[in-house]
Amino acid sequence: MDETTTPQGRHTYGDAEAAPRVPHKGRVPHKPSIPNRLSIPNKPRVPRKGRPWSRRRRITLLTVAVLVVLLVWNTVSVLTETAKASGEQIVRVPGGDMHVVQDGPPGAPTVVLLHGLAGSTAWWDPVLPALRTLHVVRMDLLGHGKSAKPADGYGIAEQARRVGAVLDRLGVRRAIVVGHSTGGTVATSLAEQRRDLVAAIALIDTGPRVDAFLGESFAGRLTTTPVLGELLWRLRTDSVIRDGVSTAFTRKVRITHQMIADIRGMTYRSLTATKEASTAYVKERPVPDRLAGLGLPTLVIFGSRDRRWQPSSAQDYRRVPHVRIEILDGVGHTPMVEDPDTTGTLLHGFVLEAASR
């Protein structure tokens, strides 16, 4: 028989191949073979997570570097900018040629008009009708209007010496000198240097001491900020300039195209250097103290609503012997533009009185 029974009741099979295969306890089950890796299609490479950020960082650093280079270039370019003098009458003097405008009869008493910071001869136009019987000499200070704009030479004493040299070249031997704001410090310095030339002095809203300064417009403050100031100067527009000079007026006045053009024609160096020089001059010694020992006829005109200098500081000039102080009600920092009739009348009378002495 093919099938037998064992004592334990187990069955045996005569055909060994027919018996079912039982896996051996230690044998690893058979797995299908894995094809060669070379036969697997290439998968697209996934960029590493840090690679995009590294690229963005390089681009950012490169952009910042370019901006820094441009800012440095602009700062150096703006600070080293210069310009030559232009205009109908140019007086050549050491340190920089000066633009001069003369009006009125040459034989009449001479009055010299010196504008303030960022001003020009055009700022005196409104008072010319009141001064028509006088010999009026207006000049653009160095770095202003149509005068030369060199890299240096903006100290107040230097400006005063230059004004004196111009008057000598013009043949003026005696003059009443009028200065507005910063121009007043130049007029005072000229009086200190040239007692032979200056017969009398008139100051219009010239700050007597540093702590009487009220401040500037927002645009004006930004303009003097390093790096940012040079950038804003490069990008300045007429509206920015108008905002910068806004504190020069309290009454509503017309800021002429010529005023704007003259300011646009300035260099950054001429503006900031003149401002620093004026501050240093007043800080070194208050203007009233400088005038007190000169013994000159002195007229002080001040706007009661000056937005740059404390109007009450005009009383500091009472230390000057025999000074005459005129406070113009409702007028700001620039009386010759805001109230030209009153200002012109006061100047005309003062010049005639001083010339008759």
Side-chain angles (χ1 to χ4, degrees):
M1 293 177 64
D2 292 335
E3 185 179 6
T4 57
T5 303
T6 62
Q8 292 82 10
R10 296 180 181 176
H11 295 85
T12 61
Y13 297 89
D15 189 356
E17 292 181 0
R21 295 180 179 180
V22 178
H24 191 273
K25 293 182 180 181
R27 183 181 297 173
V28 178
H30 175 72
K31 295 182 180 180
S33 60
I34 301 176
N36 193 319
R37 291 184 179 180
L38 295 177
S39 64
I40 299 176
N42 291 331
K43 295 182 180 180
R45 293 183 177 180
V46 179
R48 295 180 180 178
K49 293 182 179 180
R51 193 169 291 175
W53 165 242
S54 298
R55 186 179 297 111
R56 287 196 298 271
R57 183 169 57 185
R58 287 197 297 270
I59 293 174
T60 300
L61 291 176
L62 179 61
T63 302
V64 171
V66 171
L67 289 176
V68 169
V69 171
L70 290 176
L71 285 174
V72 171
W73 171 83
N74 179 73
T75 300
V76 174
S77 176
V78 167
L79 288 176
T80 57
E81 181 183 8
T82 60
K84 295 182 179 180
S86 62
E88 295 182 3
Q89 184 175 9
I90 301 298
V91 179
R92 305 193 182 282
V93 292
D97 300 338
M98 303 284 285
H99 171 243
V100 178
V101 179
Q102 298 188 73
D103 299 282
T110 299
V111 56
V112 178
L113 304 179
L114 303 177
H115 60 77
L117 179 65
S120 70
T121 58
W123 289 60
W124 296 106
D125 287 347
V127 299
L128 289 182
L131 306 178
R132 60 185 176 276
T133 63
L134 304 175
H135 176 216
V136 180
V137 178
R138 294 177 288 163
M139 64 181 76
D140 289 324
L141 295 176
L142 191 74
H144 293 70
K146 297 178 181 179
S147 289
K149 300 166 183 67
D152 50 29
Y154 297 103
I156 297 303
E158 294 175 276
Q159 292 273 25
R161 281 193 293 271
R162 200 172 292 109
V163 170
V166 170
L167 294 176
D168 290 341
R169 296 287 179 87
L170 295 177
V172 175
R173 296 291 177 261
R174 198 75 169 155
I176 291 84
V177 184
V178 181
H180 169 240
S181 194
T182 295
T185 62
V186 177
T188 301
S189 182
L190 179 62
E192 290 177 310
Q193 298 176 33
R194 299 287 303 273
R195 295 290 300 276
D196 63 309
L197 177 61
V198 180
I201 186 171
L203 305 181
I204 302 177
D205 286 77
T206 295
R209 47 188 165 80
V210 174
D211 60 356
F213 186 61
L214 295 176
E216 299 177 287
S217 65
F218 180 68
R221 291 193 298 272
L222 288 181
T223 301
T224 56
T225 303
V227 181
L228 178 59
E230 288 87 348
L231 179 61
L232 291 176
W233 186 258
R234 175 75 66 180
L235 303 176
R236 68 193 184 280
T237 62
D238 287 359
S239 61
V240 171
I241 293 175
R242 289 179 184 277
D243 181 68
V245 301
S246 61
T247 55
F249 310 100
T250 298
R251 291 183 176 179
K252 290 184 178 181
V253 298
R254 177 175 174 266
I255 301 176
T256 67
H257 173 74
Q258 187 60 53
M259 291 178 177
I260 299 298
D262 287 337
I263 296 175
R264 288 188 68 87
M266 293 183 69
T267 64
Y268 184 79
R269 174 63 180 166
S270 64
L271 176 70
T272 56
T274 302
K275 178 182 177 181
E276 292 169 0
S278 178
T279 301
Y281 181 81
V282 177
K283 186 175 182 179
E284 180 184 42
R285 191 182 180 194
V287 177
D289 292 349
R290 293 176 181 273
L291 293 173
L294 297 180
L296 293 174
T298 304
L299 171 66
V300 173
I301 299 175
F302 228 92
S304 67
R305 297 182 61 192
D306 192 319
R307 296 166 61 190
R308 291 191 174 178
W309 295 93
Q310 295 174 5
S312 60
S313 68
Q315 302 305 319
D316 289 9
Y317 287 99
R318 295 202 177 278
R319 297 200 296 271
V320 180
H322 311 297
V323 67
R324 177 182 172 188
I325 301 176
E326 295 286 347
I327 306 299
L328 303 189
D329 188 39
V331 175
H333 183 67
T334 316
M336 66 277 198
V337 176
E338 297 178 65
D339 191 356
D341 292 339
T342 302
T343 304
T345 299
L346 289 172
L347 290 177
H348 184 268
F350 177 71
V351 171
L352 292 181
E353 182 181 351
S356 64
R357 295 187 179 184

